[in-house]
Amino acid sequence: MTAAVLSFTAPAFAQYQTTAYRASILHFVADPAVSQTPYEYYEDGVLVVGTDGKVKAVGPANTVLNNYPYIQVVDYSGKILMPGFIDSHVHYPQTEMIASFGEQLLEWLNTYTFPTEQQFSNKTYAKGVAKTFINELVRNGTTTALVFGTVSPNSVDALFEEAQTRNMRLIAGKVMMDRNAPDYLLDTPASSYTDSKALIQKWHKNGRALYAVTPRFAPTSTPEQLTKAGQLLQEFPDVYMHTHLSENKGEIAWVQSLFPSSTGYLDVYNSFGLSRNRSVYAHGVHLRDDEFQSLAQTGSAIAFCPTSNMFLGSGLFNLQKAEQYGVKVGLGTDVGAGTSFNAFQTMNEAYKMTQLRKAFVDDPDTVNPLKAVKAYYLATLGAARALSLENQVGSFKIGNEADFVVINPNATDLLKFRMQKTTTIEDKLFVLQMLGDDRAIQNTYVMGKKQTVNGYGSGYYQYTYN
Ligand SMILES: [Zn+2]
């Protein structure tokens, strides 16, 4: 009798606690560059999330719901439900200087970036910006990001503390910078090592937080400091390495003059042991073939940041060459040189970049416009692979953490009007990529929990998603 009761109540109890989300569901299972069937799409689909915040099932509604007869169903019919977007490269301290006029990389750093970053030694100040930054991620459906802090360890504490209030999977690190910047922002090889190590021990794998050793870029670190960065990677083999690479031609020439014995920009990082899995290089706009090859061989990834590359006039990233060499690529916003936190707008610029390449850079016959499926791959599973997180986020693989976004394809009058003329999900994705923005993000979920966006520090800007 007792056994019979248990056998009846146990599964019912388990099902009661899980939640099903019914919508048009899309997620990637492979790179469209190498697979004819890179995604799964269920027009009337269900995503089942367990009480642990992880994916329990995904598939057609009629099939999946049969297996969960007592489940609570949240109905998002008519919406598109996807894994949360992943931002492979962004600077949270630059949130307040996004859209600053007129400069290219090196002048832009001196004119805008360094004075802004000085303020982050003040923890209270850093917390205020961190809150705004994470609100913007949520508002735009971004659930994971690889983030630059500033030289001050306070900047990293402030960001991780804020991310933990939402249980977000964030990767971040303190900038290492001991030359070619104002004195007020410099650390030393010794202090950057000690501070980074303390932050690793405090934050790496603390909840969903992960740490990235973060030399700003080769010109602002001495060989002694890059040696220390390599030492940290040796001592903590599963942390990340996050820096910039070959963004701008003036920068590349500067690196060559600072490291005259190197054979190129990437060679500088390679020579200090900084290239490996979980090494993420922002930009890579002007890489040579042998450098693409080296990135592939070491398992390093590129963060492709089209709005930033266009904004600073840095150049046109060669995505097809990265594909040819098998280099991992994720999409990044690079705010504040990037001009939007929004993945649709970032994919929009990525598409236009391939059109410009076709027109101006390459043999036109060798360049294809970026397909929507590839763009969304780069913003989800591709980015997760670039960050070696594909077993945690980026797709609805069973057991993955249920970070997801609910997209309203009819969010604006123009979207609604244009969507009437679409027939396939790929058409809809492309229209969203061109016309969508944060208004199309109806809800953002982190570990199965619906997020709200509150408080811009001053309390001036407050709303909650409905
Ligand atoms: Zn950057």
Side-chain angles (χ1 to χ4, degrees):
M1 180 66 185
T2 305
V5 169
L6 281 176
S7 68
F8 173 76
T9 56
F13 179 70
Q15 287 164 6
Y16 177 72
Q17 300 220 347
T18 57
T19 304
Y21 298 89
R22 188 169 191 166
S24 296
I25 295 182
L26 174 84
H27 75 132
F28 285 86
V29 294
D31 185 343
V34 299
S35 170
Q36 295 296 310
T37 52
Y39 63 85
E40 292 177 347
Y41 177 64
Y42 309 104
E43 178 84 32
D44 180 16
V46 157
L47 173 73
V48 178
V49 179
T51 52
D52 59 357
K54 294 185 175 175
V55 174
K56 289 183 79 73
V58 66
N62 53 9
T63 311
V64 175
L65 290 177
N66 278 341
N67 298 330
Y68 293 89
Y70 306 108
I71 200 166
Q72 176 190 343
V73 179
V74 177
D75 190 359
Y76 284 126
S77 296
K79 309 297 186 293
I80 299 169
L81 196 155
M82 285 182 55
F85 296 117
I86 297 172
D87 188 342
S88 304
H89 176 68
V90 60
H91 300 250
Y92 99 85
Q94 296 177 13
T95 303
E96 63 184 87
M97 51 168 281
I98 188 172
S100 295
F101 174 77
E103 306 289 3
Q104 298 207 340
L105 174 64
L106 301 176
E107 301 76 21
W108 186 84
L109 285 171
N110 285 316
T111 307
Y112 299 116
T113 309
F114 293 147
T116 300
E117 292 192 359
Q118 181 183 12
Q119 302 165 96
F120 286 74
S121 55
N122 179 326
K123 176 84 178 283
T124 307
Y125 190 88
K127 289 274 274 189
V129 179
K131 192 178 197 62
T132 300
F133 170 77
I134 288 181
N135 275 340
E136 286 305 316
L137 295 188
V138 169
R139 188 193 311 288
N140 287 287
T142 299
T143 49
T144 285
L146 174 59
V147 190
F148 258 68
T150 71
V151 165
S152 170
N154 281 341
S155 71
V156 176
D157 284 333
L159 181 68
F160 278 136
E161 286 170 16
E162 195 56 36
Q164 283 206 334
T165 67
R166 296 180 182 274
N167 196 20
M168 280 182 96
R169 187 169 277 295
L170 225 63
I171 313 168
K174 173 205 120 61
V175 169
M176 303 171 76
M177 179 158 71
D178 69 343
R179 66 168 167 175
N180 292 321
D183 287 347
Y184 58 75
L185 276 181
L186 296 182
D187 55 14
T188 68
S191 75
S192 67
Y193 170 83
T194 308
D195 288 346
S196 298
K197 185 169 183 167
L199 288 166
I200 291 168
Q201 289 168 334
K202 183 174 182 181
W203 289 112
H204 188 59
K205 297 188 171 175
N206 177 342
R208 299 180 82 197
L210 296 164
Y211 193 84
V213 171
T214 309
R216 173 164 232 119
F217 67 152
T220 50
S221 286
T222 58
E224 293 72 29
Q225 185 167 58
L226 294 175
T227 301
K228 288 292 186 188
Q231 188 182 337
L232 286 164
L233 298 187
Q234 294 252 317
E235 289 177 35
F236 302 96
D238 61 356
V239 301
Y240 288 78
M241 199 292 300
H242 185 198
T243 191
H244 298 90
L245 171 68
S246 293
E247 179 175 0
N248 164 298
K249 288 187 174 172
E251 170 208 21
I252 294 167
W254 192 22
V255 170
Q256 194 60 54
S257 71
L258 291 168
F259 298 90
S261 63
S262 72
T263 61
Y265 197 159
L266 180 60
D267 180 55
V268 173
Y269 295 129
N270 287 349
S271 66
F272 291 98
L274 302 188
S275 296
R276 56 175 201 169
N277 276 317
R278 293 178 308 285
S279 293
V280 181
Y281 291 107
H283 306 303
V285 172
H286 304 284
L287 294 174
R288 303 183 312 235
D289 280 43
D290 64 295
E291 292 179 309
F292 276 111
Q293 191 167 31
S294 171
L295 289 168
Q297 283 167 351
T298 57
S300 306
I302 294 175
F304 168 32
C305 306
T307 74
S308 169
N309 297 158
M310 300 283 225
F311 182 73
L312 292 179
S314 299
L316 306 174
F317 176 64
N318 194 338
L319 180 62
Q320 283 181 253
K321 190 146 271 184
E323 284 178 351
Q324 282 165 22
Y325 281 99
V327 178
K328 294 182 283 190
V329 177
L331 204 63
T333 66
D334 194 29
V335 166
T339 52
S340 175
F341 282 100
N342 188 263
F344 299 127
Q345 288 307 301
T346 307
M347 293 187 280
N348 176 330
E349 300 278 305
Y351 172 80
K352 291 171 185 168
M353 190 174 280
T354 58
Q355 292 285 51
L356 285 174
R357 284 196 71 82
K358 196 170 179 68
F360 294 113
V361 178
D362 298 287
D363 173 357
D365 293 337
T366 66
V367 182
N368 297 314
L370 178 66
K371 288 185 176 171
V373 286
K374 178 72 183 197
Y376 284 76
Y377 168 80
L378 292 174
T380 56
L381 180 60
R385 287 176 168 175
L387 301 178
S388 299
L389 284 176
E390 65 271 29
N391 293 321
Q392 283 80 32
V393 294
S395 78
F396 294 137
K397 192 167 71 168
I398 308 304
N400 268 13
E401 297 157 356
D403 293 347
F404 59 92
V405 60
V406 181
I407 297 166
N408 180 359
N410 301 310
T412 67
D413 287 346
L414 182 58
L415 273 170
K416 194 173 181 179
F417 185 69
R418 179 64 179 83
M419 282 295 170
Q420 293 172 359
K421 302 291 183 188
T422 59
T423 52
T424 66
I425 181 62
E426 294 188 22
D427 288 345
K428 291 182 201 300
L429 291 175
F430 187 69
V431 170
L432 274 164
Q433 176 183 346
M434 291 299 122
L435 302 180
D437 54 33
D438 58 334
R439 290 171 294 178
I441 304 299
Q442 176 163 323
N443 285 117
T444 301
Y445 284 75
V446 172
M447 288 292 278
K449 188 160 181 243
K450 186 155 81 172
Q451 301 295 302
T452 57
V453 179
N454 294 311
Y456 254 32
S458 64
Y460 164 72
Y461 195 130
Q462 282 202 340
Y463 68 83
T464 301
Y465 289 119
N466 52 29

